[in-house]
Amino acid sequence: MGNPNDHAPLAELVEELLAVEGPLPIVAAGDPVLRRGAEPFDGQLEPALLARFVEALRITMHAAPGVGLAAPQVGVALRIAVIEDPAPVPEEVRRARGRVPQPFRALVNPSYEPVGAGRAAFFEGCLSVPGYQAVVARPAEVRLTGQDEHGRALDEVFTGWPARIVQHEIDHLDGVLYLDRAEPRSLSSHQAVVERWSQPTAEQAARALGFELP
């Protein structure tokens, strides 16, 4: 456990954020909090405050809407994230991307490691980089370890789209944005993705924009 005096500023910041009702404001790319990496959670927030913060992250994620949100995205540099995906997609998209419903989870001090050598590349976006998407190649299967908001151990293997969500959110905790891993030639406005590249895979976009898929 850290020095309680060191915890006060983060607790005060969270209390200040929670003092305003409704979704929390999402930090946009360019803010240093998204780049410096988050510190491990070791009691900076008392259990009741942690529960309120996790709920605020859930509300903010739903309102955005998104399928994941990391604490740095609301300006709090702690290794905490939430994920949830109802996966309301057509069957052909579900099959191609491995996108299946995921229940709500809070991730505390999470980390991941690839399982096997398989990789998958799809368009990906971010609430902190509004208006754009790009193709990112990521491990197709990962093992997630960490804890939940109650301190219970997490050790689970994710595949397909859930694996992508896990990696995206944990990257945020390491100061990494999806653009750091993206194929530069694939960068597209959200409108262009909807109008041109809404196919289940990124193969057509790769041919037209001139980049390679794994």
Side-chain angles (χ1 to χ4, degrees):
M1 299 292 288
N3 186 328
N5 292 330
D6 295 335
H7 296 170
L10 276 171
E12 291 170 2
L13 171 60
V14 171
E15 288 279 17
E16 183 178 340
L17 286 171
L18 299 183
V20 180
E21 293 187 7
L24 304 176
I26 294 177
V27 172
D31 192 307
V33 72
L34 294 173
R35 289 308 201 172
R36 65 174 178 253
E39 63 181 77
F41 177 78
D42 67 351
Q44 293 92 332
L45 310 182
E46 294 296 324
L49 182 56
L50 174 61
R52 290 171 56 208
F53 182 53
V54 167
E55 176 63 9
L57 289 175
R58 185 186 71 81
I59 290 171
T60 304
M61 172 179 65
H62 287 173
V67 295
L69 188 69
Q73 291 183 274
V74 296
V76 179
L78 282 174
R79 293 191 69 83
I80 298 172
V82 296
I83 62 174
E84 183 179 10
D85 185 12
V89 296
E91 178 64 17
E92 63 174 344
V93 173
R94 184 195 67 78
R95 290 197 306 268
R97 302 180 186 178
R99 187 171 178 182
V100 294
Q102 291 297 300
F104 176 79
R105 290 181 177 85
L107 312 179
V108 177
N109 295 330
S111 61
Y112 70 85
E113 59 183 19
V115 176
R119 293 177 67 78
F122 294 102
F123 274 100
E124 192 170 315
C126 179
L127 298 177
S128 291
V129 189
Y132 290 90
Q133 296 185 41
V135 173
V136 184
R138 294 187 181 273
E141 187 172 8
V142 297
R143 180 186 178 189
L144 164 72
T145 55
Q147 299 84 42
D148 67 11
E149 70 270 40
H150 304 293
R152 297 177 296 218
L154 297 176
D155 189 341
E156 188 174 350
V157 173
F158 290 79
T159 60
W161 205 260
R164 181 169 296 269
I165 297 171
V166 164
Q167 292 171 78
H168 182 111
E169 298 311 325
I170 295 178
D171 277 358
H172 272 303
L173 305 181
D174 293 329
V176 175
L177 294 177
Y178 85 98
L179 291 174
D180 301 332
R181 304 187 185 278
E183 165 53 56
R185 294 182 68 91
S186 72
L187 183 65
S188 304
S189 69
H190 179 70
Q191 182 177 352
V193 173
V194 171
E195 294 178 352
R196 296 174 179 271
W197 316 128
S198 60
Q199 301 84 13
T201 73
E203 292 180 2
Q204 186 173 329
R207 290 194 299 269
L209 299 177
F211 62 91
E212 295 184 0
L213 297 173

